[in-house]
Amino acid sequence: MYVDQWGEIHPPPDPEKAKPLDPDSLAATGIEVSEQSDIGQIVRRYGTAKARNRQMAGFLAASSTSRQHPYRKLSQKLYDCASWMEIHHYTETKQNRIGRASLCKKHLLCPVCAIRRGAKTLRNYHQRAVYLAATHDFHFVTLTVKNGPDLWERYQHLKRSFHLLRRRGTRGHGVWAGVSGAVWSTEFTKSEHGWHPHLHILVATPKGSPRITYGQGSQLAVDWLMATGDSFITHAAPIEATGDDLAGGLVEVLKYALKFSDLDLADNLEAFETLKGKRLIQASGCFFGLDLPDDDPLTDDPEDGPYIALFFNYGSSGYRLA
């Protein structure tokens, strides 16, 4: 269901309703629009995201008790979001950029805005990581806490525990004592056992530092158990500073906070209401200061040189070239 500009509720078109919402299409290959991507691939990726966006818009409209209900206005914002976009194809460099688009900036409800925000954030941190690669090694670290029914309580527990881990590091204790800087994001999934928040972290350590290891008895597991009091499940893997490894590690860190296709619409809305306004991507040390402002337009910065502007409208069968 969706709400039109006059506030009337309508059933979704059949092709949109049947469109698969594959989370993989919005993860590692979807978080960054490759500069050499085929335009058709880009359009299909955003079409999948927009289909989920329309489903959420319909759910919000159906949840509205009146025309004045706040979900009605929010539903309209989502429905209008990315209803059109203009892709700029640069003829000299063959790069493709999102030049203009109407975007709602509700990245916890809208996969389109989640992709856009992730892509712009990724570029900022990737540039810094490439600069640091001459003097630093990198690790991809995951920290988890036990599942629970209360999303806010689990999120606060994870946040406080990581703060304790980093504070012990500044005092010279544990794995984090050797960390020059890090960038991390909080991701949320849900299963029959409850909400499962966890951290994905890109860690920078001085060149030649001992490798960060994980598993029972490792320093990382011991540090994390001391910080959480109830959790020791961790993971760590070195990342090559050359080639695609570094970009791939950042993709995993900076992808959207919610796996939209793994959440039903009601859980997605609960997560939005609980987490809106919270900083789910943060950094410290040599990665500090690269946050994306909340009022960022989310479109790509223009490139130099001539380009062809391709205008796409979204309809019942996805995006079509206008």
Side-chain angles (χ1 to χ4, degrees), residues 251-267:
V251 163
E252 286 301 308
V253 170
L254 299 173
K255 63 188 181 183
Y256 46 79
L258 300 173
K259 291 187 176 180
F260 295 94
S261 298
D262 289 350
L263 290 177
D264 62 33
L265 297 172
D267 287 336

Side-chain angles (χ1 to χ4, degrees), residues 56-204:
M56 178 55 76
F59 179 77
L60 290 169
S63 302
S64 304
T65 55
S66 68
R67 289 178 181 270
Q68 287 72 43
H69 195 283
Y71 285 170
R72 184 62 66 95
K73 184 177 181 181
L74 184 58
S75 171
Q76 190 65 58
K77 281 188 176 181
L78 261 71
Y79 183 78
D80 292 338
C81 176
S83 58
W84 60 269
M85 65 173 58
E86 187 176 284
I87 297 178
H88 294 171
H89 175 71
Y90 289 84
T91 55
E92 293 179 351
T93 63
K94 308 302 181 184
Q95 294 184 359
N96 301 306
R97 299 276 186 169
I98 306 297
R100 293 194 305 148
S102 58
L103 298 168
C104 67
K105 300 182 184 179
K106 306 294 183 183
H107 63 278
L108 290 176
L109 283 178
C110 174
V112 178
C113 290
I115 293 173
R116 294 305 311 143
R117 189 173 182 83
K120 294 204 74 175
T121 304
L122 175 62
R123 291 192 183 103
N124 291 345
Y125 284 104
H126 186 252
Q127 289 175 358
R128 177 66 61 87
V130 169
Y131 171 77
L132 293 170
T135 55
H136 288 79
D137 295 324
F138 299 99
H139 286 80
F140 177 65
V141 174
T142 301
L143 301 175
T144 72
V145 292
K146 289 184 177 180
N147 293 27
D150 188 327
L151 173 58
W152 178 250
E153 184 275 329
R154 287 290 85 190
Y155 167 60
Q156 288 297 315
H157 178 51
L158 177 66
K159 185 178 178 180
R160 285 192 298 267
S161 299
F162 189 48
H163 176 73
L164 287 173
L165 180 72
R166 290 183 289 120
R167 190 169 66 180
R168 289 187 74 248
T170 62
R171 296 172 178 173
H173 303 301
V175 169
W176 235 255
V179 171
S180 300
V183 53
W184 63 91
S185 67
T186 312
E187 185 178 353
F188 303 84
T189 58
K190 189 178 184 184
S191 70
E192 60 184 8
H193 304 295
W195 288 99
H196 178 60
H198 47 284
L199 292 170
H200 293 309
I201 314 163
L202 183 77
V203 175

